[in-house]
Amino acid sequence: AQSVTQLDSQVPVFEEAPVELRCNYSSSVSVYLFWYVQYPNQGLQLLLKYLSGSTLVKGINGFEAEFNKSQTSFHLRKPSVHISDTAEYFCAVSESGSARQLTFGSGTQLTVLP
Amino acid sequence: DGGITQSPKYLFRKEGQNVTLSCEQNLNHDAMYWYRQDPGQGLRLIYYSQIVNDFQKGDIAEGYSVSREKKESFPLTVTSAQKNPTAFYLCASSRGPGATEAFFGQGTRLTVV
């Protein structure tokens, strides 16, 4: 069975500072990994995904994530955050790559402070 | 604009009543999903449908029902059997069951009063 752990439920950070949101997964087979963002009272939007190939994945809004198979991690990073990045971020895993079999983490609330 | 429309945005229900949440998509996607989101928890899959007239239970289907009579529409009924229905409900779709990306609607917040 697959599972996802997001280690931090809340991450406050000052504007223009770098940020890392941590995600670890558990699976007995190869996985596909995703990061979604949710703005207040909105649906989720895909930030980036790792399916295969380069372990460094670039997404929208200047975010990137690195797949580390040995550490079973897929941490999300941004070198300089903006107030508009304030949102909840969800890491998700799928053993098949299919949206039907997504397992989501519990989310990390990123709050960017002025 | 193509997308997924959920209505209403906010819904209040008295205990013991059934209520239906609407989800419509104009993306021509085959697969549709319903998720429930509670504070501090991730999304949990309620039901999914891969094609018209077919749907499968997800992880937390008890107390919910769905139908898929049209490709564009996947309504969710929260029945009186659902013991704790207050939550944020999200509808999503993907091109097909094998597609990697899910597209989400803006959600319906259901409150039982």
Side-chain angles (χ1 to χ4, degrees):
Chain A
Q2 58 193 26
S3 66
V4 179
T5 302
Q6 291 185 244
L7 297 165
D8 306 299
S9 59
Q10 308 254 359
V11 173
V13 63
F14 286 107
E15 195 173 15
E16 297 183 7
V19 70
E20 177 179 85
L21 305 184
R22 297 181 293 168
C23 172
N24 286 87
Y25 69 91
S26 173
S27 174
S28 57
V29 298
S30 295
V31 296
Y32 304 85
L33 295 153
F34 307 82
W35 275 99
Y36 282 85
V37 60
Q38 183 181 34
Y39 299 101
N41 293 310
Q42 301 281 323
L44 275 68
Q45 178 184 7
L46 183 67
L47 267 182
L48 48 81
K49 60 186 176 185
Y50 171 78
L51 302 180
S52 64
S54 173
T55 57
L56 183 62
V57 180
K58 294 190 183 298
I60 61 172
N61 301 340
F63 284 93
E64 63 180 33
E66 185 154 21
F67 171 56
N68 188 320
K69 188 174 181 180
S70 62
Q71 297 188 3
T72 60
S73 68
F74 191 54
H75 301 332
L76 181 70
R77 301 185 183 99
K78 187 170 182 177
S80 174
V81 294
H82 303 290
I83 297 285
S84 59
D85 291 323
T86 295
E88 189 147 26
Y89 292 79
F90 291 93
C91 182
V93 63
S94 171
E95 288 181 348
S96 67
S98 166
R100 177 172 62 81
Q101 294 179 319
L102 284 171
T103 297
F104 288 87
S106 56
T108 297
Q109 174 64 44
L110 173 65
T111 302
V112 181
L113 306 167
Chain B
D1 284 337
I4 300 175
T5 302
Q6 290 187 243
S7 61
K9 194 171 177 67
Y10 299 96
L11 189 55
F12 295 88
R13 184 194 96 175
K14 290 183 179 179
E15 274 193 49
Q17 288 182 337
N18 292 355
V19 64
T20 297
L21 282 59
S22 169
C23 177
E24 305 276 331
Q25 55 100 357
N26 61 3
L27 300 167
N28 199 33
H29 284 174
D30 287 320
M32 297 187 74
Y33 315 85
W34 274 105
Y35 290 93
R36 171 182 171 135
Q37 185 179 17
D38 295 286
Q41 299 190 40
L43 280 65
R44 292 181 290 169
L45 184 64
I46 304 172
Y47 268 98
Y48 65 93
S49 168
Q50 299 184 59
I51 56 173
V52 174
N53 292 323
D54 178 72
F55 48 83
Q56 306 294 329
K57 292 182 179 180
D59 300 321
I60 56 165
E62 185 175 350
Y64 300 97
S65 66
V66 294
S67 62
R68 187 88 186 276
E69 297 176 2
K70 298 187 298 182
K71 188 175 185 177
E72 317 81 71
S73 178
F74 191 40
L76 174 74
T77 297
V78 184
T79 75
S80 56
Q82 168 49 235
K83 292 182 171 47
N84 185 19
T86 294
F88 191 52
Y89 291 88
L90 286 161
C91 178
S93 70
S94 65
R95 284 195 189 86
T100 57
E101 182 173 355
F103 295 80
F104 286 81
Q106 306 237 325
T108 293
R109 188 167 297 280
L110 173 64
T111 303
V112 174
V113 297

